[in-house]
């Protein structure tokens, strides 16, 4: 569980990042979760964009991704989800 200070730090670090993934009309599936896990292992901090044509609620999509990947939800702002998961082998981000 992230503290408020850690979330603020991660939001600052994620500000300049561009979204790598997009959630479309099909929603979240196992293939997307597997790809997100791979990218989180390499980068630790990513953004995911939710497209306008998605039928599900944004909070529900964020929770599905968090449960599937085991990542921490840093921020859900607009249609952008910011996720953090500490890497097992490639640690880059040192939390305060």
């Amino acid at each position: 569980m992230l503290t408020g200070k850690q979330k603020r730090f991660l939001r600052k670090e994620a500000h300049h990042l561009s979204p790598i993934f997009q959630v479309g009309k099909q929603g979240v599936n196992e293939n997307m979760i597997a790809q997100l896990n791979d990218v989180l292992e390499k980068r630790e901090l990513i953004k995911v964009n939710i497209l306008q044509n998605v039928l599900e609620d944004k909070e529900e999509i964020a929770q599905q991704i968090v449960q599937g990947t085991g990542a921490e939800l840093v921020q859900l702002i607009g249609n952008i989800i910011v996720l953090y998961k500490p890497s097992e082998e490639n640690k880059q981000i040192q939390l305060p």
Side-chain angles (χ1 to χ4, degrees), residues 6 8 15-17 19-20 23 25 27 32 44 47 49-50 66 70 73 77 79-81 83 85 89 92:
Q6 291 171 332
R8 280 193 305 275
H15 179 73
H16 70 282
L17 296 177
I20 311 177
V23 178
K25 213 178 348 182
M32 179 185 285
E44 293 185 312
K47 284 184 178 179
N49 188 17
I50 302 172
V66 166
L73 179 65
I77 184 163
N79 287 339
I80 304 291
I81 303 169
L83 298 170
K85 184 176 181 183
E89 303 168 2
Q92 300 169 348

Side-chain angles (χ1 to χ4, degrees), residues 10 13 20 26-27 29 36 45-46 64 67 70-74 78-79 85 88:
L10 290 171
E13 293 293 314
I20 311 177
Q26 283 93 21
N29 55 36
L36 282 168
L45 185 66
I46 62 168
Q64 289 175 0
Q67 288 174 353
E72 294 278 348
L73 179 65
V74 176
N79 287 339
K85 184 176 181 183
E88 300 291 324

Side-chain angles (χ1 to χ4, degrees), residues 4-77:
K5 186 176 185 178
Q6 291 171 332
K7 283 186 179 182
R8 280 193 305 275
F9 172 78
L10 290 171
R11 283 197 303 262
K12 183 182 84 166
E13 293 293 314
H15 179 73
H16 70 282
L17 296 177
S18 298
I20 311 177
F21 281 92
Q22 294 180 337
V23 178
K25 213 178 348 182
Q26 283 93 21
V28 180
N29 55 36
E30 292 108 25
N31 186 29
M32 179 185 285
I33 295 293
Q35 290 177 350
L36 282 168
N37 272 326
D38 291 343
V39 172
L40 280 166
E41 178 61 33
K42 291 181 181 128
R43 296 190 181 200
E44 293 185 312
L45 185 66
I46 62 168
K47 284 184 178 179
V48 178
N49 188 17
I50 302 172
L51 298 178
Q52 297 291 334
N53 62 353
V54 174
L55 303 174
E56 296 179 56
D57 188 38
K58 293 181 281 192
E59 286 85 11
E60 190 175 312
I61 289 172
Q63 284 305 318
Q64 289 175 0
I65 292 173
V66 166
Q67 288 174 353
T69 61
E72 294 278 348
L73 179 65
V74 176
Q75 186 177 31
L76 174 60
I77 184 163

